[in-house]
Amino acid sequence: MNDPNGMVYFEGEYHLFYQYHPESTIWGPMHWGHAVSTDLVHWEQLPVALKPDHNGYIFSGSAVVDWNDTSGFFGGSPGLVAVFTHAKPQPGSEESLQSQSLAYSSDKGRTWTMFAGNPVITDERFADFRDPKVFWDKERSRWAMVLAAGDRILFYSSPDLKDWSYCSEFGLNEGAHMGVWECPDLFELPVEGGEGGGIRKWVLVVSIGADPDFPEGSRTQYFIGSYDGTVFVSDNPAETILWLDHGRDNYAGVSWSDIPAMDGRRLLIGWMSNWKYANQTPTDAWRGAMTIPRVLTLRSEAEGIRLIQAPIQEIRTLREPLVEMSDLLLSPGHNPLAHIHEGCLEIEVEFELLAATECGFSLKSGGEKRTVVAYHSGTETLYIDRSLSGITDFHETFACRHDARLIPKQGCVRMHLFIDHSSVEVFAGDGSVVMTDLLFPEPGSSGIELFAAGANVRIRTLRVFRLQSVWG
Ligand code: FRU
């Protein structure tokens, strides 16, 4: 699998479609795979939802509930409409002809009908023209779409999902352009705290495909600004780059549609890989996974308004308590977690740095192998170092360390980690800094160390949970 697609909540079910090649673990003619969940934690796999047809392969896109049957597909009742990219291979060329199409379902996403009028948007000026994300614009009572077109995002509107009018474009000289722009999303959120408190802002999420000379590979950025139903304007100078994730493996993330108002959360899920090595990761029988779903909020911080991520609270149902400690003085060379050898863990910790140079975790350790997730006080950075994480030789860029600025609050640093068999997701500083990374540890690497370096660290609180399997 690659990108998450068509996430929508309808009649008690969260739908997750995804870019899927049924024939192989290598990217190829794309379909939409399908899974549903009632709690965002346990998923039921359903048959493939959309298959390639005469208009091409099924690339990324979104799905919405057409509550008022604006499309006329549902005889007056609500139903699901998928809006996606058809990518038609061109003879003798690597490029495909990309256009936007519709499919609809009146049985809760179990079966889909291709719209006879496909495609609904074409524009041959753009070779890259894809990944429509549609939402209901309540203020103007019409549909809105954001679409990626190479080096910019295009905005459209429609009364019925079938007839689309072009509105504007954004991004030619804004933000990061280390590759082709893909998988946009646009939504409004209230701003919490500080000076921005009480106002609402629009967030435009844009993924960036990996140009070969960009060592970090594919990454996702976001813009904060305003949107009037026609035009998006960023609040920040054009050269500002805001990264959604500081790890290497959170790409193409977009948010769920139609979350009920009484819930009100903006939920995002990303594809936990990177085009640099997505087709080479050392897995068997399957390849590709999603991140933990995250709740997005906006907070006014000293540097400006920032996107904050928190793991969904539903995931707490997997917890089995292993360790709980508070107010512990940890000296270099001691490891309070030496007895733990678990594949999947959740950890919440709050450090008071005192005079230590570093503190954090050595994960999946055994012999020389380990993955380090730690805070470095001299540079005020959080980092993941996966250089010695296990199998790394499938791609030259995989063995690496990445750092992100994280300012301690009252001398304290908080980390919230989810450690799975082949990934780690770190939410730090109350969710303002997030790092998501794949790891391929060797079978014997099951140790975990909590360490302080340079001097003692005070562990204000530490909670370690074993995580039950979601497939159990
Ligand atoms: C992003 C992406 C999308 C495209 C899909 C094809 O990872 O390249 O732009 O629709 O993957 O699988």
Side-chain angles (χ1 to χ4, degrees), residues 245 247-249 272 291-292 294 345 347 361 363-364 371-373 384-386 402 416-427 434-439:
D245 197 299
R248 290 291 171 271
D249 299 295
M272 197 155 47
T291 67
I292 291 173
R294 292 132 188 235
L345 292 169
I347 302 177
F361 298 88
L363 310 175
K364 310 277 184 196
T371 298
V372 184
V373 178
I384 296 184
D385 188 346
R386 66 177 180 189
H402 23 276
H416 188 175
L417 289 80
F418 290 84
I419 304 152
D420 204 340
H421 292 288
S422 55
S423 64
V424 57
E425 296 176 63
V426 184
F427 299 81
V434 177
M435 282 194 187
T436 306
D437 266 14
L438 289 177
L439 318 165

Side-chain angles (χ1 to χ4, degrees), residues 2-3 5 19-20 27-28 30 58-61 85 98 130-131 148 180-183 207 218 251-252 271 275:
N2 53 283
D3 315 358
N5 294 152
Q19 287 290 282
Y20 179 48
W27 188 91
M30 283 287 120
I58 316 295
F59 273 17
S60 288
T85 299
Q98 303 182 356
R130 58 179 180 265
D131 310 338
V180 63
W181 281 17
E182 304 182 313
C183 300
S207 281
S218 26
Y251 191 63
W271 170 46
W275 282 122

